[in-house]
């Protein structure tokens, strides 16, 4: 059975295929850029299965408006088996070479049919089928070209693939479910589930020995189809190569197979066509009003010219010409006028699928059946801006239809194509070189910029470093300054401290001085006080002395006074005694003086009486004699006192 590829790998394959389709590198030099979506060269198919018994490859092809259409190429070695698969889409196929047997069922009965070269058939979506190639005497491979299409939308759905393996579908369930569902003995399921999964294409049964796979698949299909395969029904198919062509002349033939010819194509949207162009011929310019053609080259080489009917967007739709050879697939959209040409050296055979459920009548531009001949000649002449005559000449000349003689047409087309490709290549190269130049310039610029940047960065780095250094220096400076400041500060502090200390010392000194002064003062004061005290003492002493002296003096004085008094008293007593004495002496004296005086008085009165008698005799008085007498008297008295005192004192004091 055909091994179902995991969805992701299918997708990646698809993607890879598209990459191959679109990638300019992957396409050979004889493919113009404009056809890359609707031409798949044989070498650019993507491989789905490769075993020693067979291969399956696929191609997706787009017409630009629809698709992609999915085409697969099955190749079976003689006596090989393509294992059963469930079809997800309608499959219309053409047997290109070899022969074998197709077995399929739609669920009701098992059908079987022999296949040979040129056979075409359609299997409906939902069918389960398998193919076995015959043990051919020529050992020819069996080649089948198939297109897959969903009936409703005319589009193959890539996300689910074209078909899936029956085995995978069954064994996707757990054994428990399978046993309950199938109600088969344990060992059967055991055998089925534990069997190694076979590849999609395996060796077929031989006459004497059934293939293990064949047996297995037979059993599986039996399980699936409820053992109805015993009612196998032989079905006849349609063979293109056996059929009469629709058109044939010496330049070749063409044939279309639609539902009218092949009943199995009913309710399908796929038709089949085949063209054989002999050497130096051409399928005349024509368009398909209903269908898109997807053609596979079966033999030889050919040139295809496709005209874009729309002038709306030249970059999307261009007139193209391209060369195809056996195995290549190309698609042409409806309304696109085209012409296929064979080379002078070989015939050019291609078959294809037309994607329309409706009857497609290709419209030819030339020959007896030309659509232009049915149009009004004058209108046409105006359309072409030529005279009626010219128009007549244009349309009436060709008497042949459809397939025309065209010697060296393909060769000329090929030359033109090569020129175009060369031009394209040159343009491409120019573009590329320009791009490269641009790129180089950009790179140069980028490099320059990079260099610039690098330089700038370097500079920036330098600057940064410098800044860093400057910063470092600054930092150092700052640190130094800070250190200096700190030092200064410390010094300042030191100085301050010193000053403080000095001040303190000063203060101390001052204080000391003060104290000294104070002490001095104190001392001074004390001294002064002492002195004062001393002086006072002295004074006091002096005073005392003085007082003592005074007292002494007083005492002395008093003693003296006492003495004096005593003395005085004594003296007084003495005096008194003396005076007494004196008085007695004086009394005596006075009595003697009285007596002397009376004597003297008598003497003087005698003298006076004498002087008075003389005066009376002389005239005047004389007194001085009297005074002189008196003074002598007194002096005599004083001399008498002193003399008396000293004698008296000595007498008193006993001195
Ligand atoms: C195509 O035509 C040529 C010439 O008539 C013939 O030799 C060749 O077998 C034909 N090919 C097919 C596939 O019919
Ligand atoms: C033509 O088609 C190309 C590609 O799709 C697009 O880039 C371009 O803009 C279109 N030009 C016009 C005039 O529509
Ligand atoms: C016929 O001519 C074409 C174009 O020159 C060339 O590609 C091709 O190989 C030739 N075929 C044979 C069979 O010589
Ligand atoms: C061309 O032909 C049309 C009719 O076919 C006719 O009406 C018209 O006059 C002709 N014009 C010329 C220039 O002959
Ligand atoms: C037809 O062609 C001629 C010359 O070729 C030109 O002068 C004339 O304008 C064209 N007519 C129209 C309707 O374009």
């Amino acid at each position: 059975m055909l091994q179902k590829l995991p969805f992701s790998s299918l997708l990646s394959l698809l993607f890879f295929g598209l990459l191959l389709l679109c990638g300019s590198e992957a396409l050979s030099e004889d493919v113009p850029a404009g056809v890359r979506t609707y031409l798949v060269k044989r070498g650019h198919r993507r491989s789905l299965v490769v075993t020693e018994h067979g291969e399956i490859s696929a191609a997706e092809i787009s017409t630009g408006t629809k698709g992609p259409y999915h085409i697969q190429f099955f190749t079976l070695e003689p006596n090989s088996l393509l294992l059963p698969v469930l079809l997800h889409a309608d499959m219309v196929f053409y047997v290109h070479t070899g022969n074998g047997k197709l077995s399929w069922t739609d669920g009701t009965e098992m059908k079987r049919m022999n296949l040979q070269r040129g056979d075409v058939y359609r299997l409906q979506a939902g069918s389960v089928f398998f193919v076995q190639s015959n043990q051919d005497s020529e050992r020819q491979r069996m080649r089948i070209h198939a297109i897959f299409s969903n009936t409703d939308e005319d589009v193959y759905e890539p996300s689910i693939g074209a078909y899936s393996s029956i085995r995978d579908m069954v064994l996707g369930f757990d054994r428990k479910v399978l046993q309950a569902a199938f109600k088969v003995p344990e060992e059967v399921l055991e055998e089925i589930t534990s069997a190694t999964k076979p590849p999609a294409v395996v060796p077929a049964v031989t006459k004497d020995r059934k293939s293990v796979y064949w047996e297995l698949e037979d059993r599986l299909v039996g399980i699936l189809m409820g053992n109805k395969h015993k009612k196998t029904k032989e079905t006849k198919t349609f063979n293109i190569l056996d059929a009469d062509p629709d058109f044939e002349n010496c330049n070749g033939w063409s044939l279309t197979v639609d539902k009218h010819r092949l009943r199995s194509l009913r309710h399908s949207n796929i038709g089949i066509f085949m063209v054989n162009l002999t050497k130096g011929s051409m399928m005349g310019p024509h368009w398909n009003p209903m269908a898109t053609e997807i053609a596979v080259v079966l033999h030889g080489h050919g040139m295809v010219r496709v005209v874009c009917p729309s002038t709306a967007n030249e970059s999307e739709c261009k007139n193209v010409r391209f060369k195809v050879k056996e195995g290549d697939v190309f698609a042409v959209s409806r309304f696109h006028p085209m012409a296929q040409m064979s080379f002078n050296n070989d015939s050019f055979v291609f078959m294809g699928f037309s994607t329309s459920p409706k009857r497609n009548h290709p419209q030819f531009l030339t020959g007896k059946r030309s659509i232009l001949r049915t149009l009004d000649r004058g209108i046409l002449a105006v359309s072409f801006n030529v005279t009626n005559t010219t128009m007549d000449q244009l349309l009436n000349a060709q008497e042949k239809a459809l397939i025309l003689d065209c010697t060296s047409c393909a060769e000329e087309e090929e030359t033109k194509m090569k020129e175009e490709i060369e031009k394209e290549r040159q343009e491409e190269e120019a573009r590329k070189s320009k791009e490269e130049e641009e790129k180089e310039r950009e790179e140069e610029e980028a490099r320059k910029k990079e260099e610039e940047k690098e330089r700038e960065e370097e500079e920036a780095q330098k600057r940064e470093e410098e800044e860093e250094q400057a910063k470092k220096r600054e930092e150092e400076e700052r640190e130094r300054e800070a250190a200096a400041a700190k030092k200064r500060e410390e010094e300042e502090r030191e100085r301050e401290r010193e000053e403080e200390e000095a001040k303190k010392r000063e203060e101390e000194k001052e204080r000391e001085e003060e104290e000294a002064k104070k002490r001095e003062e104190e001392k001074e004061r004390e001294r002064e006080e002492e002195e004062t005290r001393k002086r006072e003492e002295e004074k006091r002493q002096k005073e005392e002395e003085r007082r003592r002296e005074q007292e002494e003096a007083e005492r002395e004085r008093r003693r003296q006074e006492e003495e004096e008094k005593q003395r005085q008293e004594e003296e007084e007593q003495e005096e008194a005694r003396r005076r007494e004495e004196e008085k007695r002496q004086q009394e005596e004296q006075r009595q003697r003086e009285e007596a002397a005086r009376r004597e003297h008085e008598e003497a003087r009165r005698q003298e006076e009486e004498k002087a008075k008698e003389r005066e009376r005799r002389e005239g005047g008085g004389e007194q001085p004699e009297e005074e002189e007498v008196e003074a002598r008297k007194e002096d005599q008295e004083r001399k008498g006192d002193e003399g008396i005192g000293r004698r008296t004192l000595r007498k008193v004091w006993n001195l």
Side-chain angles (χ1 to χ4, degrees):
M1 93 184 66
L2 194 79
Q3 164 179 354
K4 186 196 170 195
L5 286 157
F7 174 54
S8 58
S9 69
L10 257 183
L11 271 193
S12 61
L13 279 171
L14 176 64
F15 179 67
F16 182 61
L18 285 177
L19 260 190
L20 286 180
L21 272 173
C22 304
S24 56
E25 293 292 317
L27 289 174
S28 54
E29 78 288 345
D30 57 351
V31 177
V35 301
R36 280 165 194 170
T37 58
Y38 47 93
L39 169 65
V40 180
K41 302 295 281 182
R42 182 183 193 142
H44 298 148
R45 299 177 193 165
R46 56 191 175 86
S47 187
L48 300 181
V49 173
V50 183
T51 77
E52 58 176 303
H53 303 286
E55 286 176 21
I56 303 170
S57 60
E60 271 77 29
I61 194 155
S62 169
T63 57
T65 53
K66 270 190 169 174
Y69 293 94
H70 185 70
I71 294 169
Q72 287 197 2
F73 302 88
F74 299 90
T75 305
L76 300 183
E77 294 293 326
N79 199 29
S80 294
L81 178 67
L82 171 71
L83 294 173
V85 291
L86 169 69
L87 269 179
H88 297 165
D90 271 14
M91 177 173 104
V92 178
F93 64 87
Y94 166 81
V95 181
H96 179 33
T97 59
N99 51 65
K101 277 197 242 13
L102 167 73
S103 305
W104 81 99
T105 175
D106 52 9
T108 54
E109 54 184 354
M110 202 68 203
K111 293 171 185 169
R112 189 164 285 174
M113 107 175 129
N114 288 314
L115 293 179
Q116 59 182 348
R117 180 168 173 262
D119 279 349
V120 290
Y121 200 70
R122 171 216 183 193
L123 290 176
Q124 289 185 21
S127 303
V128 174
F129 81 95
F130 56 91
V131 178
Q132 185 187 357
S133 58
N134 289 343
Q135 181 70 54
D136 187 283
S137 54
E138 295 164 40
R139 287 208 57 82
Q140 243 199 333
R141 286 172 176 162
M142 190 179 184
R143 285 200 179 86
I144 297 172
H145 302 164
I147 186 167
F148 296 85
S149 167
N150 291 340
T151 24
D152 296 337
E153 281 148 5
D154 192 23
V155 172
Y156 153 77
E157 182 54 66
S159 63
I160 59 166
Y163 43 78
S164 53
S165 152
I166 286 296
R167 181 184 183 277
D168 287 349
M169 294 176 85
V170 172
L171 297 186
F173 293 100
D174 294 333
R175 201 183 289 187
K176 176 90 183 152
V177 175
L178 289 179
Q179 203 179 349
F182 286 115
K183 282 197 174 304
V184 289
E186 178 77 35
E187 60 268 23
V188 177
L189 276 180
E190 175 63 35
E191 191 192 337
I192 288 173
T193 52
S194 61
T196 311
K197 181 177 177 170
V201 186
V202 297
V205 274
T206 55
K207 275 207 173 95
D208 41 314
R209 191 177 68 84
K210 261 195 168 184
S211 156
V212 191
Y213 302 115
W214 178 247
E215 203 172 15
L216 192 63
E217 296 306 320
D218 225 18
R219 193 176 292 186
L220 262 179
V221 171
I223 289 169
L224 266 182
M225 303 305 168
N227 287 319
K228 286 175 191 161
H229 67 286
K230 293 223 154 56
K231 306 182 200 163
T232 300
K233 192 178 158 190
E234 289 291 330
T235 310
K236 275 290 292 171
T237 180
F238 183 87
N239 190 281
I240 286 185
L241 300 176
D242 290 345
D244 293 331
D246 300 334
F247 180 85
E248 184 169 20
N249 62 18
C250 61
N251 296 309
W253 55 263
S254 73
L255 176 100
T256 56
V257 183
D258 56 17
K259 57 185 176 185
H260 302 287
R261 280 202 166 154
L262 179 61
R263 275 175 56 85
S264 71
L265 285 180
R266 266 189 293 177
H267 310 301
S268 142
N269 56 7
I270 301 286
I272 296 166
F273 67 88
M274 191 163 179
V275 176
N276 184 346
L277 299 179
T278 59
K279 301 170 185 176
S281 299
M282 169 173 74
M283 187 74 170
H286 67 284
W287 69 76
N288 289 311
M290 307 305 293
T292 289
E293 276 184 16
I294 295 147
V296 182
V297 180
L298 300 179
H299 174 83
H301 294 75
M303 287 301 300
V304 182
R305 171 68 171 168
V306 181
V307 173
C308 177
S310 166
T311 53
N313 191 335
E314 267 191 32
S315 66
E316 271 191 345
C317 178
K318 269 202 276 194
N319 298 346
V320 289
R321 51 175 64 87
F322 52 89
K323 188 182 181 184
V324 290
K325 63 176 198 265
E326 190 185 331
D328 292 349
V329 185
F330 63 94
V332 181
S333 295
R334 62 197 284 210
F335 311 128
H336 284 58
M338 69 184 125
Q340 294 97 342
M341 290 152 268
S342 60
F343 286 93
N344 294 342
N345 59 2
D346 197 4
S347 60
F348 173 41
V349 185
F350 57 95
M351 62 78 52
F353 308 97
S354 56
T355 64
S356 170
K358 297 185 183 133
R359 198 175 201 127
N360 180 45
H361 293 290
Q363 299 297 331
F364 286 83
L365 299 176
T366 62
K368 276 186 279 193
R369 297 192 199 169
S370 168
I371 190 171
L372 298 180
R373 285 192 183 183
T374 63
L375 284 174
D376 184 89
R377 197 64 56 95
I379 297 296
L380 268 181
V382 172
S383 295
F384 286 86
N385 191 14
V386 291
T387 60
N388 283 357
T389 324
T390 312
M391 206 68 231
D392 284 339
Q393 284 170 348
L394 174 72
L395 295 179
N396 295 340
Q398 181 62 270
E399 281 309 312
K400 285 185 173 174
L402 273 70
I403 298 176
L404 315 167
D405 177 62
C406 200
T407 309
S408 300
C409 288
E411 281 79 356
E412 204 166 300
E413 282 287 309
E414 189 183 22
T415 309
K416 279 187 187 159
M417 181 195 76
K418 279 181 177 162
E419 284 170 7
E420 282 175 4
I421 289 173
E422 181 61 25
K423 209 173 123 199
E424 259 177 34
R425 201 180 52 76
Q426 282 172 359
E427 280 174 5
E428 181 75 5
E429 260 175 29
R431 196 178 54 77
K432 261 191 192 159
S433 70
K434 207 172 146 197
E435 271 180 14
E436 225 147 86
E437 270 173 32
E438 189 74 14
K439 213 174 112 192
E440 266 175 27
R441 221 189 57 236
E442 274 173 15
E443 276 176 2
E444 182 72 13
E445 268 174 26
R447 203 171 50 74
K448 268 187 193 160
K449 267 189 203 151
E450 191 69 20
E451 280 177 8
E452 185 74 16
K453 213 174 114 192
E454 266 175 28
R455 219 179 45 241
E456 275 175 14
E457 274 176 4
E458 228 168 71
E459 272 173 21
Q461 208 188 332
K462 242 192 209 163
R463 267 205 307 280
E464 215 166 88
E465 278 175 12
E466 274 170 18
E467 272 171 24
E468 192 73 17
Q469 273 175 6
K471 239 161 83 186
K472 218 163 134 192
R473 274 205 304 276
E474 240 172 59
E475 190 76 14
E476 282 172 6
E477 186 67 22
R478 226 174 22 240
E479 271 175 20
R480 228 173 22 243
E481 273 176 16
K486 207 171 147 195
K487 205 171 146 197
R488 270 207 306 281
E489 208 173 280
E490 273 174 14
E491 281 174 3
E492 186 73 16
R493 266 211 306 276
E494 184 68 18
R495 204 168 54 75
E496 274 176 17
R497 215 182 61 231
E498 278 174 9
E499 274 178 13
E500 189 75 10
E501 274 178 17
K503 213 170 109 191
K504 264 189 199 165
R505 275 203 305 276
E506 193 73 19
E507 279 176 8
E508 188 73 15
K509 214 170 102 192
E510 270 176 24
R511 216 175 56 237
E512 278 174 8
E513 277 176 7
E514 188 77 10
E515 274 176 19
K517 212 170 108 192
K518 264 189 198 165
R519 272 202 308 277
E520 196 70 22
E521 279 175 9
E522 190 76 11
K523 245 157 79 185
E524 185 70 17
R525 216 179 60 235
E526 276 175 12
R527 217 178 58 233
E528 275 175 12
E529 274 177 10
E530 187 71 12
E531 268 174 26
T532 311
R533 216 177 59 236
K534 264 185 193 167
R535 270 202 308 279
E536 268 174 17
E537 186 72 12
E538 266 173 33
K539 217 168 113 192
R540 202 175 48 75
Q541 273 174 8
K542 271 181 194 165
E543 269 176 18
E544 188 78 6
E545 221 163 280
R546 211 170 51 234
R547 202 173 44 77
R548 246 190 355 255
E549 277 174 9
Q550 273 175 1
E551 276 174 9
E552 193 78 15
E554 186 70 17
R555 256 194 330 268
E556 186 67 17
R557 197 177 51 82
R558 268 203 310 269
R559 200 179 48 84
Q560 278 177 3
E561 271 176 6
E562 200 90 359
E563 271 180 12
E564 188 69 18
K565 225 161 102 188
Q566 217 174 344
R567 198 178 50 92
Q568 268 177 3
E569 276 171 12
E570 277 177 11
E571 256 179 289
E572 270 172 18
Q573 282 169 4
E574 187 71 23
E575 192 74 17
R577 243 177 8 249
R578 200 184 46 96
R579 252 185 328 256
E580 219 76 11
E581 185 69 24
E582 215 167 287
K583 239 173 183 172
R584 199 190 42 88
Q585 284 176 357
Q586 268 173 1
E587 210 45 52
E588 286 176 356
Q589 181 115 21
R590 198 187 46 112
Q591 275 168 5
R592 270 180 329 244
E593 277 176 354
E594 206 49 43
R597 191 193 52 115
R598 254 186 310 226
E599 279 182 17
H600 181 77
E601 216 101 350
E602 228 4 65
R604 200 189 57 145
R605 203 202 11 172
Q606 280 182 3
E607 250 221 27
E608 252 178 339
E609 265 201 7
K610 273 185 204 147
K612 256 176 200 162
E613 254 251 342
R614 250 178 338 212
E615 247 181 221
R616 235 205 307 185
R617 280 194 299 182
E618 297 175 31
E622 265 186 78
Q623 281 186 326
E625 284 173 292
E626 239 179 283
E627 279 171 22
E628 267 173 265
V629 173
E630 245 352 318
R632 249 172 358 242
K633 269 184 192 163
E634 271 176 11
D635 197 29
Q636 281 173 346
E637 278 172 355
R638 218 171 25 234
K639 278 175 186 166
D641 277 353
E642 249 175 268
I644 301 166
R646 217 165 269 162
R647 263 179 339 254
T648 314
L649 273 172
R650 271 178 212 128
K651 264 190 191 170
V652 171
W653 301 101
N654 285 329
L655 289 170

